[in-house]
PDB file of all heavy atoms in Angstrom:
ATOM      1  N   ILE A  81      90.264  10.899 141.501  1.00  0.00           N
ATOM      2  CA  ILE A  81      89.857   9.671 142.185  1.00  0.00           C
ATOM      3  C   ILE A  81      88.435   9.255 141.796  1.00  0.00           C
ATOM      4  O   ILE A  81      88.138   8.071 141.644  1.00  0.00           O
ATOM      5  CB  ILE A  81      89.988   9.837 143.715  1.00  0.00           C
ATOM      6  CG1 ILE A  81      89.623   8.508 144.403  1.00  0.00           C
ATOM      7  CG2 ILE A  81      89.136  10.980 144.243  1.00  0.00           C
ATOM      8  CD1 ILE A  81      89.932   8.489 145.879  1.00  0.00           C
ATOM      9  N   GLU A  93      81.679  -4.362 136.905  1.00  0.00           N
ATOM     10  CA  GLU A  93      80.328  -4.633 136.418  1.00  0.00           C
ATOM     11  C   GLU A  93      80.361  -5.458 135.133  1.00  0.00           C
ATOM     12  O   GLU A  93      79.569  -6.378 134.950  1.00  0.00           O
ATOM     13  CB  GLU A  93      79.586  -3.321 136.162  1.00  0.00           C
ATOM     14  CG  GLU A  93      78.145  -3.527 135.703  1.00  0.00           C
ATOM     15  CD  GLU A  93      77.415  -2.209 135.522  1.00  0.00           C
ATOM     16  OE1 GLU A  93      77.907  -1.171 136.016  1.00  0.00           O
ATOM     17  OE2 GLU A  93      76.353  -2.222 134.885  1.00  0.00           O
ATOM     18  N   ARG A 116      93.228   0.809 148.073  1.00  0.00           N
ATOM     19  CA  ARG A 116      92.455   1.847 148.769  1.00  0.00           C
ATOM     20  C   ARG A 116      91.135   2.116 148.046  1.00  0.00           C
ATOM     21  O   ARG A 116      90.090   2.322 148.686  1.00  0.00           O
ATOM     22  CB  ARG A 116      93.283   3.131 148.877  1.00  0.00           C
ATOM     23  CG  ARG A 116      94.459   3.032 149.857  1.00  0.00           C
ATOM     24  CD  ARG A 116      95.067   4.397 150.140  1.00  0.00           C
ATOM     25  NE  ARG A 116      95.717   4.953 148.943  1.00  0.00           N
ATOM     26  CZ  ARG A 116      96.993   4.753 148.632  1.00  0.00           C
ATOM     27  NH1 ARG A 116      97.762   4.002 149.413  1.00  0.00           N
ATOM     28  NH2 ARG A 116      97.517   5.305 147.552  1.00  0.00           N
ATOM     29  N   ILE A 126      79.455  -1.720 146.471  1.00  0.00           N
ATOM     30  CA  ILE A 126      79.556  -1.871 145.023  1.00  0.00           C
ATOM     31  C   ILE A 126      80.169  -3.220 144.668  1.00  0.00           C
ATOM     32  O   ILE A 126      79.810  -3.832 143.661  1.00  0.00           O
ATOM     33  CB  ILE A 126      80.425  -0.748 144.409  1.00  0.00           C
ATOM     34  CG1 ILE A 126      79.818   0.630 144.709  1.00  0.00           C
ATOM     35  CG2 ILE A 126      80.614  -0.938 142.911  1.00  0.00           C
ATOM     36  CD1 ILE A 126      78.452   0.829 144.099  1.00  0.00           C
ATOM     37  N   VAL A 135      85.239  -8.938 143.510  1.00  0.00           N
ATOM     38  CA  VAL A 135      84.156  -9.482 142.692  1.00  0.00           C
ATOM     39  C   VAL A 135      82.941  -8.580 142.858  1.00  0.00           C
ATOM     40  O   VAL A 135      82.788  -7.903 143.878  1.00  0.00           O
ATOM     41  CB  VAL A 135      83.785 -10.926 143.090  1.00  0.00           C
ATOM     42  CG1 VAL A 135      84.937 -11.872 142.844  1.00  0.00           C
ATOM     43  CG2 VAL A 135      83.334 -10.996 144.552  1.00  0.00           C
ATOM     44  N   LYS A 151      66.340 -28.507 141.655  1.00  0.00           N
ATOM     45  CA  LYS A 151      65.629 -28.247 140.406  1.00  0.00           C
ATOM     46  C   LYS A 151      66.422 -27.369 139.436  1.00  0.00           C
ATOM     47  O   LYS A 151      66.034 -27.220 138.283  1.00  0.00           O
ATOM     48  CB  LYS A 151      64.287 -27.574 140.718  1.00  0.00           C
ATOM     49  CG  LYS A 151      63.310 -28.471 141.465  1.00  0.00           C
ATOM     50  CD  LYS A 151      62.054 -27.721 141.855  1.00  0.00           C
ATOM     51  CE  LYS A 151      61.113 -28.616 142.656  1.00  0.00           C
ATOM     52  NZ  LYS A 151      59.911 -27.874 143.114  1.00  0.00           N
ATOM     53  N   ILE A 260      81.789 -21.763 151.036  1.00  0.00           N
ATOM     54  CA  ILE A 260      80.402 -22.107 151.305  1.00  0.00           C
ATOM     55  C   ILE A 260      79.818 -21.041 152.223  1.00  0.00           C
ATOM     56  O   ILE A 260      80.551 -20.195 152.754  1.00  0.00           O
ATOM     57  CB  ILE A 260      80.289 -23.521 151.909  1.00  0.00           C
ATOM     58  CG1 ILE A 260      78.847 -24.034 151.821  1.00  0.00           C
ATOM     59  CG2 ILE A 260      80.811 -23.551 153.342  1.00  0.00           C
ATOM     60  CD1 ILE A 260      78.726 -25.528 152.039  1.00  0.00           C
ATOM     61  N   ASN A 325      93.007 -30.998 137.796  1.00  0.00           N
ATOM     62  CA  ASN A 325      92.622 -31.559 136.496  1.00  0.00           C
ATOM     63  C   ASN A 325      91.225 -31.042 136.148  1.00  0.00           C
ATOM     64  O   ASN A 325      90.266 -31.355 136.847  1.00  0.00           O
ATOM     65  CB  ASN A 325      92.643 -33.088 136.554  1.00  0.00           C
ATOM     66  CG  ASN A 325      92.574 -33.731 135.197  1.00  0.00           C
ATOM     67  OD1 ASN A 325      92.205 -33.098 134.219  1.00  0.00           O
ATOM     68  ND2 ASN A 325      92.918 -35.009 135.125  1.00  0.00           N
TER      69      ASN A 325
END
Side-chain angles (χ1 to χ4, degrees):
I81 183 171
E93 182 177 345
R116 289 192 293 270
I126 300 297
V135 296
K151 294 175 183 177
I260 196 164
N325 193 343

